[in-house]
């Protein structure tokens, strides 16, 4: 039912053409909307090219531009020249459902929300935690993952629980919720790094006493570096969602519909299972 609705929306979009839908209508889109529209689609491309400005806003051009910070395994990371991971796969599945192409761009974590706000990107999927401050700047889709900030320490560390972090040197990734919430720790000396992995390296080198970071990347980093462990007690519990430009309800609703389908069909779980193996 939902699927049909999307197909109809795509068809309408293509028929209504061209100002709204802009440039590069995709073959898949055309297929979804039926053979009849193939020609219209081809014409769309031309019309779209003329209205170059619309092509700028990539959502209108048959292509969705996603920004992420590909330093965050298993959600997004580099695999040779590709950006892969749970978020990349989910975004691809959403784009497929919307009959659109997906382009992924990599940038610093704290540039992601500005890129969405300025319209440089259509959305960010970056293991991004929903929080009230960010909600002032972007709109979040329904959440798609439970997450947590955890604490990584060296084995044998005297830090055994979040309460032991007071007065300690704490490594975080700039602009993340780990960075934000570590600010609440009493007398903490916060050391900021561009990449989570760099914070972890600082921990192995004894430059910080602990790292506050998301649970799944923490597991990956601890596995890759001997002598580290994750404390049992999490620092915070949180949830991830995709962020779109404030007020872009059209995209938000389409993405939410796709996310619901992915959840209901079990496809989302399949993607997670591909990257996170149960212990
Ligand atoms: N979940 C954290 C946040 O939203 C970290 C995300 C990340 O580093 N990609 O701030």
């Amino acid at each position: 039912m939902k699927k049909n609705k999307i197909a109809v929306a795509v068809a309408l979009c293509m028929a209504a053409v061209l100002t709204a839908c802009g440039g590069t209508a995709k073959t898949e889109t055309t297929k979804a909307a039926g053979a009849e529209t193939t020609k219209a689609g081809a014409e769309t491309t031309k019309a779209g090219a003329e209205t170059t400005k619309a092509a700028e806003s990539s959502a209108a051009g048959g292509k969705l531009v996603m920004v992420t910070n590909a330093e965050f395994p298993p959600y997004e990371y580099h695999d040779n020249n590709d950006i892969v991971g749970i978020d990349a796969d989910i975004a691809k599945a959403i784009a497929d459902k919307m009959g659109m192409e997906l382009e992924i761009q990599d940038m610093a974590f704290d540039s992601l929300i500005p890129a969405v706000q300025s319209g440089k990107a259509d959305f960010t999927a970056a293991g991004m935690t929903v929080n009230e401050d960010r909600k002032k700047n972007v709109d979040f889709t329904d959440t798609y993952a439970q997450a947590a900030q955890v604490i990584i320490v060296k084995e044998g560390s005297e830090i055994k629980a979040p309460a032991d972090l007071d007065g300690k040197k704490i490594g975080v990734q700039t602009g993340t919720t780990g960075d934000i919430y570590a600010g609440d720790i009493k007398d903490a000396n916060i050391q900021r790094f561009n990449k989570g992995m760099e914070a972890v390296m600082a921990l192995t080198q004894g430059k910080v006493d602990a790292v506050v970071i998301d649970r799944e990347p923490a597991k990956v980093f601890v596995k890759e570096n001997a002598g580290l462990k994750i404390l049992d007690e999490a620092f915070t519990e949180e949830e991830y969602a995709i962020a779109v430009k404030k007020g872009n309800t059209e995209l938000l609703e389409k993405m939410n519909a796709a996310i619901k389908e992915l959840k209901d069909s079990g496809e989302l779980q399949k993607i997670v299972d591909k990257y996170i193996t149960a212990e």
Side-chain angles (χ1 to χ4, degrees):
M1 193 66 190
K2 274 268 155 57
K3 210 165 200 171
N4 286 342
K5 242 166 140 185
I6 291 174
V8 169
V10 169
L12 283 176
C13 176
M14 293 199 57
V17 192
L18 317 189
T19 5
C21 301
T24 44
K26 240 196 112 197
T27 345
E28 263 174 53
T29 311
T30 316
K31 216 165 61 198
E36 270 292 78
T37 46
T38 312
K39 219 178 129 239
E43 277 154 20
T44 310
T45 313
K46 205 172 143 244
E50 273 151 27
T51 50
T52 25
K53 210 149 158 255
E56 279 284 328
S57 154
S58 29
K63 187 171 78 175
L64 283 169
V65 176
M66 157 176 158
V67 284
T68 194
N69 175 237
E71 304 292 343
F72 198 70
Y75 283 91
E76 41 268 332
Y77 56 99
H78 292 275
D79 181 19
N80 295 316
N81 289 328
D82 293 329
I83 293 171
V84 298
I86 295 171
D87 287 335
D89 281 14
I90 290 175
K92 178 73 174 66
I94 291 173
D96 281 350
K97 286 192 184 295
M98 291 172 60
M100 296 176 93
E101 252 182 282
L102 177 72
E103 181 186 319
I104 303 180
Q105 294 175 9
D106 189 22
M107 58 177 64
F109 185 79
D110 55 358
S111 301
L112 297 174
I113 287 181
V116 170
Q117 283 181 297
S118 70
K120 191 172 178 293
D122 296 303
F123 69 94
T124 178
M128 186 172 282
T129 303
V130 178
N131 77 9
E132 292 310 314
D133 256 1
R134 289 175 181 165
K135 276 191 198 165
K136 290 178 198 154
N137 299 317
V138 285
D139 286 340
F140 281 103
T141 62
D142 297 333
T143 58
Y144 63 87
Q146 298 290 327
Q149 295 297 310
V150 297
I151 299 161
I152 309 177
V153 293
K154 274 190 172 172
E155 274 166 11
S157 165
E158 59 175 22
I159 301 170
K160 308 220 180 293
D164 301 332
L165 289 173
D166 290 3
K168 293 287 189 292
K169 244 190 204 171
I170 298 161
V172 297
Q173 186 186 359
T174 311
T176 61
T177 43
D179 182 0
I180 297 163
Y181 304 136
D184 296 338
I185 300 167
K186 206 171 141 249
D187 298 326
N189 174 347
I190 311 289
Q191 305 281 321
R192 296 186 175 81
F193 299 87
N194 284 326
K195 304 175 182 180
M197 186 60 184
E198 289 170 4
V200 173
M201 293 317 297
L203 177 62
T204 60
Q205 293 159 6
K207 292 178 183 159
V208 297
D209 304 311
V211 170
V212 175
I213 193 165
D214 298 58
R215 176 176 281 139
E216 293 305 328
K219 286 190 200 162
V220 175
F221 296 148
V222 164
K223 217 170 165 187
E224 287 172 354
N225 293 277
L228 302 180
K229 65 169 186 182
I230 299 170
L231 296 186
D232 290 340
E233 194 181 332
F235 191 60
T236 59
E237 300 291 337
E238 10 185 270
E239 285 183 311
Y240 295 159
I242 292 171
V244 305
K245 189 173 183 166
K246 230 177 170 20
N248 192 351
T249 40
E250 194 189 336
L251 180 59
L252 194 73
E253 279 166 17
K254 282 182 187 169
M255 291 191 117
N256 276 337
I259 289 168
K260 187 174 186 314
E261 279 184 32
L262 292 173
K263 282 181 181 168
D264 292 351
S265 67
E267 216 177 319
L268 184 79
Q269 192 56 46
K270 257 203 197 138
I271 292 172
V272 173
D273 292 345
K274 180 175 152 192
Y275 291 95
I276 301 177
T277 41
E279 281 120 73

